[in-house]
Amino acid sequence: MRVRRTVLSTLGSVALVLTSLGAVTAAAASPAAANPCGFYETGSDAFYNHCTSDGSNVVIKVEVAMAPDYERCVGPGRSWLGSAGKIQGAHYTGRTC
């Protein structure tokens, strides 16, 4: 009986540690989710996040409300496009710059 309690206690401790590690992993993953690849908006701003491992610059088409759309060259990482109320979207055109 005493051995069984020790085993159950040890298993419970291991489960607690693994759960804690999972929480740390999830917390570490959340900043990446905050800046997804491609077009995204926050409450007030619009961004394009060019995720690349080769350092390339790409051309994106920015769709603007009540104004002409335009193309823009963006480098790796996050680029601010403007107000979320003004920018309707942005996408990769398939070209580098």
Side-chain angles (χ1 to χ4, degrees), residues 26-43 45-49 51 78:
S30 63
N35 296 329
C37 296
F39 175 76
Y40 70 95
E41 295 178 336
T42 63
D45 296 302
F47 296 92
Y48 188 87
N49 190 18
C51 299
R78 183 174 76 159

mmCIF file of all heavy atoms in Angstrom, residues 26-43 45-49 51 78:
data_model
loop_
_atom_site.group_PDB
_atom_site.id
_atom_site.type_symbol
_atom_site.label_atom_id
_atom_site.label_comp_id
_atom_site.label_asym_id
_atom_site.label_seq_id
_atom_site.Cartn_x
_atom_site.Cartn_y
_atom_site.Cartn_z
ATOM 1 N N ALA A 26 3.101 27.214 -24.035
ATOM 2 C CA ALA A 26 1.983 27.955 -24.610
ATOM 3 C C ALA A 26 2.199 29.459 -24.466
ATOM 4 O O ALA A 26 1.906 30.224 -25.368
ATOM 5 C CB ALA A 26 0.673 27.537 -23.945
ATOM 6 N N ALA A 27 2.711 29.876 -23.330
ATOM 7 C CA ALA A 27 2.956 31.305 -23.116
ATOM 8 C C ALA A 27 4.045 31.804 -24.052
ATOM 9 O O ALA A 27 3.970 32.910 -24.567
ATOM 10 C CB ALA A 27 3.347 31.551 -21.659
ATOM 11 N N ALA A 28 5.055 30.985 -24.291
ATOM 12 C CA ALA A 28 6.130 31.389 -25.185
ATOM 13 C C ALA A 28 5.640 31.458 -26.632
ATOM 14 O O ALA A 28 6.145 32.223 -27.428
ATOM 15 C CB ALA A 28 7.302 30.415 -25.072
ATOM 16 N N ALA A 29 4.640 30.666 -26.964
ATOM 17 C CA ALA A 29 4.132 30.646 -28.332
ATOM 18 C C ALA A 29 3.197 31.813 -28.620
ATOM 19 O O ALA A 29 3.000 32.165 -29.770
ATOM 20 C CB ALA A 29 3.402 29.329 -28.590
ATOM 21 N N SER A 30 2.625 32.426 -27.616
ATOM 22 C CA SER A 30 1.636 33.459 -27.852
ATOM 23 C C SER A 30 2.172 34.713 -28.544
ATOM 24 O O SER A 30 1.458 35.297 -29.339
ATOM 25 C CB SER A 30 0.913 33.828 -26.561
ATOM 26 O OG SER A 30 1.800 34.359 -25.629
ATOM 27 N N PRO A 31 3.429 35.164 -28.328
ATOM 28 C CA PRO A 31 3.895 36.319 -29.079
ATOM 29 C C PRO A 31 3.911 36.079 -30.594
ATOM 30 O O PRO A 31 3.633 36.979 -31.366
ATOM 31 C CB PRO A 31 5.300 36.566 -28.540
ATOM 32 C CG PRO A 31 5.266 36.031 -27.162
ATOM 33 C CD PRO A 31 4.351 34.824 -27.251
ATOM 34 N N ALA A 32 4.225 34.868 -31.019
ATOM 35 C CA ALA A 32 4.201 34.571 -32.446
ATOM 36 C C ALA A 32 2.788 34.671 -32.984
ATOM 37 O O ALA A 32 2.577 35.117 -34.102
ATOM 38 C CB ALA A 32 4.775 33.182 -32.703
ATOM 39 N N ALA A 33 1.831 34.256 -32.203
ATOM 40 C CA ALA A 33 0.441 34.346 -32.635
ATOM 41 C C ALA A 33 -0.002 35.804 -32.721
ATOM 42 O O ALA A 33 -0.891 36.134 -33.482
ATOM 43 C CB ALA A 33 -0.454 33.572 -31.677
ATOM 44 N N ALA A 34 0.627 36.678 -31.958
ATOM 45 C CA ALA A 34 0.268 38.093 -31.986
ATOM 46 C C ALA A 34 0.674 38.751 -33.300
ATOM 47 O O ALA A 34 0.077 39.733 -33.706
ATOM 48 C CB ALA A 34 0.914 38.826 -30.821
ATOM 49 N N ASN A 35 1.688 38.238 -33.981
ATOM 50 C CA ASN A 35 2.150 38.774 -35.256
ATOM 51 C C ASN A 35 2.140 37.663 -36.303
ATOM 52 O O ASN A 35 3.196 37.154 -36.679
ATOM 53 C CB ASN A 35 3.569 39.342 -35.133
ATOM 54 C CG ASN A 35 3.636 40.518 -34.205
ATOM 55 O OD1 ASN A 35 2.690 41.275 -34.066
ATOM 56 N ND2 ASN A 35 4.768 40.686 -33.557
ATOM 57 N N PRO A 36 0.970 37.300 -36.810
ATOM 58 C CA PRO A 36 0.920 36.213 -37.801
ATOM 59 C C PRO A 36 1.560 36.640 -39.115
ATOM 60 O O PRO A 36 1.702 37.838 -39.394
ATOM 61 C CB PRO A 36 -0.582 35.978 -37.971
ATOM 62 C CG PRO A 36 -1.207 37.286 -37.629
ATOM 63 C CD PRO A 36 -0.338 37.865 -36.540
ATOM 64 N N CYS A 37 1.924 35.692 -39.934
ATOM 65 C CA CYS A 37 2.479 35.996 -41.254
ATOM 66 C C CYS A 37 1.381 36.552 -42.155
ATOM 67 O O CYS A 37 0.227 36.158 -42.059
ATOM 68 C CB CYS A 37 3.064 34.732 -41.878
ATOM 69 S SG CYS A 37 4.453 34.071 -40.946
ATOM 70 N N GLY A 38 1.755 37.494 -43.009
ATOM 71 C CA GLY A 38 0.801 38.101 -43.932
ATOM 72 C C GLY A 38 0.105 39.297 -43.314
ATOM 73 O O GLY A 38 0.595 39.922 -42.375
ATOM 74 N N PHE A 39 -1.067 39.612 -43.864
ATOM 75 C CA PHE A 39 -1.833 40.771 -43.405
ATOM 76 C C PHE A 39 -2.550 40.470 -42.098
ATOM 77 O O PHE A 39 -3.099 39.384 -41.921
ATOM 78 C CB PHE A 39 -2.870 41.152 -44.465
ATOM 79 C CG PHE A 39 -3.782 42.268 -44.037
ATOM 80 C CD1 PHE A 39 -3.338 43.573 -44.028
ATOM 81 C CD2 PHE A 39 -5.071 42.004 -43.630
ATOM 82 C CE1 PHE A 39 -4.175 44.607 -43.627
ATOM 83 C CE2 PHE A 39 -5.924 43.032 -43.238
ATOM 84 C CZ PHE A 39 -5.465 44.334 -43.231
ATOM 85 N N TYR A 40 -2.535 41.434 -41.193
ATOM 86 C CA TYR A 40 -3.338 41.343 -39.969
ATOM 87 C C TYR A 40 -3.590 42.742 -39.431
ATOM 88 O O TYR A 40 -2.912 43.698 -39.800
ATOM 89 C CB TYR A 40 -2.682 40.443 -38.909
ATOM 90 C CG TYR A 40 -1.438 41.011 -38.278
ATOM 91 C CD1 TYR A 40 -1.508 41.707 -37.074
ATOM 92 C CD2 TYR A 40 -0.194 40.855 -38.862
ATOM 93 C CE1 TYR A 40 -0.376 42.230 -36.483
ATOM 94 C CE2 TYR A 40 0.946 41.371 -38.283
ATOM 95 C CZ TYR A 40 0.849 42.056 -37.094
ATOM 96 O OH TYR A 40 1.976 42.573 -36.515
ATOM 97 N N GLU A 41 -4.614 42.837 -38.600
ATOM 98 C CA GLU A 41 -4.975 44.114 -37.976
ATOM 99 C C GLU A 41 -4.955 43.985 -36.468
ATOM 100 O O GLU A 41 -5.251 42.929 -35.922
ATOM 101 C CB GLU A 41 -6.382 44.532 -38.395
ATOM 102 C CG GLU A 41 -6.539 44.838 -39.857
ATOM 103 C CD GLU A 41 -7.971 45.195 -40.229
ATOM 104 O OE1 GLU A 41 -8.903 44.783 -39.502
ATOM 105 O OE2 GLU A 41 -8.156 45.884 -41.231
ATOM 106 N N THR A 42 -4.610 45.089 -35.816
ATOM 107 C CA THR A 42 -4.815 45.210 -34.378
ATOM 108 C C THR A 42 -6.096 46.030 -34.230
ATOM 109 O O THR A 42 -6.787 46.256 -35.210
ATOM 110 C CB THR A 42 -3.629 45.921 -33.709
ATOM 111 O OG1 THR A 42 -3.541 47.250 -34.213
ATOM 112 C CG2 THR A 42 -2.316 45.170 -33.947
ATOM 113 N N GLY A 43 -6.380 46.526 -33.073
ATOM 114 C CA GLY A 43 -7.571 47.331 -32.895
ATOM 115 C C GLY A 43 -7.567 48.597 -33.730
ATOM 116 O O GLY A 43 -8.604 49.069 -34.178
ATOM 117 N N ASP A 45 -4.542 49.498 -36.062
ATOM 118 C CA ASP A 45 -3.533 49.539 -37.117
ATOM 119 C C ASP A 45 -3.563 48.294 -37.998
ATOM 120 O O ASP A 45 -3.965 47.219 -37.550
ATOM 121 C CB ASP A 45 -2.134 49.669 -36.506
ATOM 122 C CG ASP A 45 -1.955 50.973 -35.767
ATOM 123 O OD1 ASP A 45 -2.118 52.027 -36.397
ATOM 124 O OD2 ASP A 45 -1.674 50.940 -34.561
ATOM 125 N N ALA A 46 -3.093 48.455 -39.231
ATOM 126 C CA ALA A 46 -2.976 47.346 -40.174
ATOM 127 C C ALA A 46 -1.491 47.094 -40.447
ATOM 128 O O ALA A 46 -0.708 48.038 -40.607
ATOM 129 C CB ALA A 46 -3.703 47.684 -41.467
ATOM 130 N N PHE A 47 -1.121 45.813 -40.511
ATOM 131 C CA PHE A 47 0.276 45.412 -40.707
ATOM 132 C C PHE A 47 0.373 44.310 -41.751
ATOM 133 O O PHE A 47 -0.586 43.579 -41.992
ATOM 134 C CB PHE A 47 0.877 44.872 -39.396
ATOM 135 C CG PHE A 47 0.960 45.868 -38.297
ATOM 136 C CD1 PHE A 47 -0.063 45.999 -37.382
ATOM 137 C CD2 PHE A 47 2.075 46.677 -38.165
ATOM 138 C CE1 PHE A 47 0.004 46.913 -36.347
ATOM 139 C CE2 PHE A 47 2.157 47.600 -37.132
ATOM 140 C CZ PHE A 47 1.121 47.715 -36.223
ATOM 141 N N TYR A 48 1.574 44.191 -42.333
ATOM 142 C CA TYR A 48 1.912 43.026 -43.140
ATOM 143 C C TYR A 48 3.187 42.469 -42.545
ATOM 144 O O TYR A 48 4.185 43.186 -42.409
ATOM 145 C CB TYR A 48 2.137 43.391 -44.619
ATOM 146 C CG TYR A 48 2.299 42.153 -45.475
ATOM 147 C CD1 TYR A 48 1.187 41.523 -46.013
ATOM 148 C CD2 TYR A 48 3.549 41.598 -45.692
ATOM 149 C CE1 TYR A 48 1.322 40.372 -46.771
ATOM 150 C CE2 TYR A 48 3.696 40.448 -46.441
ATOM 151 C CZ TYR A 48 2.578 39.846 -46.982
ATOM 152 O OH TYR A 48 2.708 38.690 -47.717
ATOM 153 N N ASN A 49 3.165 41.193 -42.176
ATOM 154 C CA ASN A 49 4.338 40.545 -41.588
ATOM 155 C C ASN A 49 4.913 39.584 -42.615
ATOM 156 O O ASN A 49 4.307 38.554 -42.925
ATOM 157 C CB ASN A 49 3.947 39.807 -40.302
ATOM 158 C CG ASN A 49 5.155 39.337 -39.528
ATOM 159 O OD1 ASN A 49 6.264 39.809 -39.725
ATOM 160 N ND2 ASN A 49 4.943 38.387 -38.632
ATOM 161 N N CYS A 51 7.154 36.867 -43.333
ATOM 162 C CA CYS A 51 7.897 35.798 -42.657
ATOM 163 C C CYS A 51 8.793 35.116 -43.686
ATOM 164 O O CYS A 51 8.296 34.563 -44.666
ATOM 165 C CB CYS A 51 6.934 34.783 -42.047
ATOM 166 S SG CYS A 51 5.830 35.490 -40.817
ATOM 167 N N ARG A 78 7.692 42.818 -39.682
ATOM 168 C CA ARG A 78 6.415 43.533 -39.662
ATOM 169 C C ARG A 78 6.540 44.927 -40.269
ATOM 170 O O ARG A 78 7.436 45.688 -39.926
ATOM 171 C CB ARG A 78 5.954 43.633 -38.208
ATOM 172 C CG ARG A 78 4.615 44.290 -38.022
ATOM 173 C CD ARG A 78 4.182 44.205 -36.602
ATOM 174 N NE ARG A 78 4.927 45.186 -35.811
ATOM 175 C CZ ARG A 78 4.528 45.645 -34.645
ATOM 176 N NH1 ARG A 78 3.424 45.179 -34.102
ATOM 177 N NH2 ARG A 78 5.232 46.531 -33.998
#
